[in-house]
Amino acid sequence: MQQIAERTGAVLRIDLQAVRFNYRLLRDRLSSALCGAAVKADAYGLGAGEVARVLYEEGCRHFFVAHLEEAIALRPGLPIDAHLIVMHGSPVGCEAEFIEHGCMPVLNSLAQIQDWSALARRHEKALPAIVQFDTGMARMGLSPQEVQVLQNDPEVCRGIDVQYVMSHLACAEDQANPMNRQQLEKFQTLRALFPLSKASLANSSGILLGEEFHFDLARPGAALYGVAPVAGQKNPLRAVAYLQGRIIQTREIPAGTGVGYGSTWRSQETSRIATIAVGYADGWLRSLSNRGVAHIGGYAAPMVGNVSMDTITLDVTKIAPTLLQPGTLVDLMSATNTVDDVANKANTIGYEILTSLGARYHREYSDQISTE
Ligand SMILES: *Cc1c(COP(=O)(O)O)cnc(C)c1O
């Protein structure tokens, strides 16, 4: 293990204990609703297999992915009572694969509903699904007019066991945004048309909007992985992803020396530069050029110059050379320099930082089952 880690430029440590902690914290905010989990995009880049396994142990039974392929990949690792829910619905012509692999589609359009209903009729049995309404994102789900079509012609849904109706919030991390209540009210109106189905609205941030938003099943993703769910508030969740990059070499440069592509940074004085083996090919976004910060033995070292494909450069002038030996790991993301801190510097959101985490990193998972 250790030897392999040393062949790589960086080590990504994923704290599954923190995922458990975050799941419990979110679940405890829900009064009667179940807490599912969004594990799409390889659990936001952190490893869907590992994450889903510990969440199952914590009692999670509803796992949301985007694509059928993601659900099929997860199926063998999870017990049969775990629901694998494909948010994009069935790709045209793939409906039968949902039955074969024990997955459930979210039906987002009348066409998807018709295809699922046709399959149910061919199999002569009710097939479970979730029906999504668009309440204000204009992205996926039935418009209120299309919901009306279902109301007027119950035949369209024949054979479909609509276990849940769902919708998705556009602005939930901004608690003061009037969109939240508007979407809630639209959702309440539409769900009343499906009195036999349960309902799901809240993502991570939606859980923290309060009980009215909880319904029967929540679908948090980002908060499980440590991303702050409420803009501008202290984050109650634990960091999950810890990234360390390796020093390849250091050099002293005279005042006025340009560093990196484009010479976008120049030393003001005699300086020491450390080159770290992480770059934009590893998801360390180029927008972090001249903006990021690393920590070495607790000292902050600013990133200077443009991010290269395989390297970044740090100004380590103020750091003792004994801390800068080649091979030393420096902290790029941690509980103190969080995914949200990195995202702010990169002008993006924590979601994008996590889902960009590179395939070249040596990954280590830590977990110890705590007894609450
Ligand atoms: C990704 C996603 C979620 C999870 O959202 P987070 O903001 O990560 O908690 C929930 N529902 C839908 C429809 C999604 O696409």
Side-chain angles (χ1 to χ4, degrees):
M1 186 89 130
Q2 194 56 24
Q3 261 166 349
I4 294 172
E6 279 162 9
R7 292 184 205 154
T8 62
V11 175
L12 177 65
R13 189 165 69 75
I14 292 153
D15 183 352
L16 294 172
Q17 188 65 44
V19 175
R20 293 177 189 273
F21 174 92
N22 293 342
Y23 181 78
R24 289 177 199 174
L25 187 145
L26 295 169
R27 189 192 58 197
D28 292 348
R29 297 284 170 104
L30 298 167
S31 32
S32 56
L34 298 174
C35 194
V39 294
K40 61 193 180 187
D42 201 23
Y44 295 37
L46 300 179
E50 288 84 353
V51 164
R53 183 181 56 75
V54 301
L55 290 177
Y56 184 90
E57 285 176 10
E58 295 297 326
C60 182
R61 294 293 178 270
H62 296 81
F63 297 89
F64 291 84
V65 294
H67 304 280
L68 174 58
E69 187 70 14
E70 296 179 299
I72 291 173
L74 274 175
R75 183 76 274 178
L78 286 172
I80 196 66
D81 64 337
H83 300 283
L84 279 165
I85 299 156
V86 177
M87 291 194 287
H88 288 183
S90 178
V92 176
C94 293
E95 289 77 19
E97 291 192 51
F98 281 75
I99 302 183
E100 188 184 330
H101 296 282
C103 307
M104 177 156 61
V106 173
L107 305 175
N108 295 299
S109 64
L110 288 176
Q112 285 186 336
I113 288 174
Q114 279 153 4
D115 291 345
W116 196 242
S117 167
L119 185 72
R121 279 180 266 188
R122 278 204 299 282
H123 282 253
E124 293 180 345
K125 67 170 186 189
L127 294 181
I130 295 180
V131 170
Q132 173 151 226
F133 308 140
D134 173 26
T135 57
M137 269 193 95
R139 186 179 73 164
M140 297 211 295
L142 305 180
S143 67
Q145 292 74 21
E146 289 171 318
V147 177
Q148 211 54 58
V149 172
L150 296 189
Q151 267 323 100
N152 298 339
D153 184 3
E155 272 301 289
V156 182
C157 267
R158 194 151 72 87
I160 302 179
D161 167 17
V162 181
Q163 297 208 335
Y164 287 87
V165 292
M166 72 174 248
S167 192
H168 193 45
L169 297 165
C171 307
E173 71 285 348
D174 174 11
Q175 296 197 328
N177 198 308
M179 268 295 277
N180 296 322
R181 185 145 292 277
Q182 287 163 17
Q183 286 194 269
L184 175 64
E185 284 165 11
K186 272 193 192 155
F187 187 60
Q188 282 163 336
T189 306
L190 293 172
R191 79 155 298 206
L193 303 173
F194 291 76
L196 301 179
S197 304
K198 287 177 278 186
S200 175
L201 179 62
N203 63 341
S204 302
S205 308
I207 293 174
L208 302 179
L209 287 175
E211 200 175 335
E212 276 181 300
F213 289 81
H214 294 169
F215 295 92
D216 302 300
L217 171 66
R219 314 182 302 267
L224 294 172
Y225 314 121
V227 175
V230 185
Q233 272 185 24
K234 189 177 174 316
N235 185 358
L237 301 153
R238 274 196 202 158
V240 172
Y242 291 77
L243 180 63
Q244 295 184 302
R246 209 175 284 289
I247 296 176
I248 306 170
Q249 66 169 224
T250 59
R251 70 180 60 245
E252 199 172 272
I253 54 171
T257 307
V259 172
Y261 284 115
S263 294
T264 58
W265 187 85
R266 268 177 203 284
S267 52
Q268 303 277 315
E269 55 188 352
T270 302
S271 301
R272 182 159 286 278
I273 298 295
T275 303
I276 311 297
V278 167
Y280 61 74
D282 301 296
W284 197 257
L285 305 181
R286 197 163 173 278
S287 52
L288 288 163
S289 296
N290 289 303
R291 291 178 60 83
V293 63
H295 290 87
I296 306 175
Y299 298 99
M303 286 177 199
V304 296
N306 280 344
V307 175
S308 296
M309 186 181 292
D310 310 301
T311 56
I312 48 183
T313 33
L314 308 176
D315 178 2
V316 293
T317 310
K318 302 213 161 57
I319 297 178
T322 51
L323 295 174
L324 301 172
Q325 297 306 311
T328 303
L329 288 169
V330 310
D331 292 321
L332 298 177
M333 195 160 73
S334 66
T336 46
N337 185 29
T338 66
V339 58
D340 293 298
D341 295 333
V342 175
N344 285 338
K345 290 216 167 73
N347 245 319
T348 183
I349 53 176
Y351 298 66
E352 191 178 30
I353 298 296
L354 292 182
T355 55
S356 300
L357 288 168
R360 289 194 295 190
Y361 297 149
H362 175 73
R363 288 173 177 239
E364 286 177 5
Y365 288 87
S366 66
D367 187 21
Q368 45 182 138
I369 298 166
S370 80
T371 49
E372 190 108 348

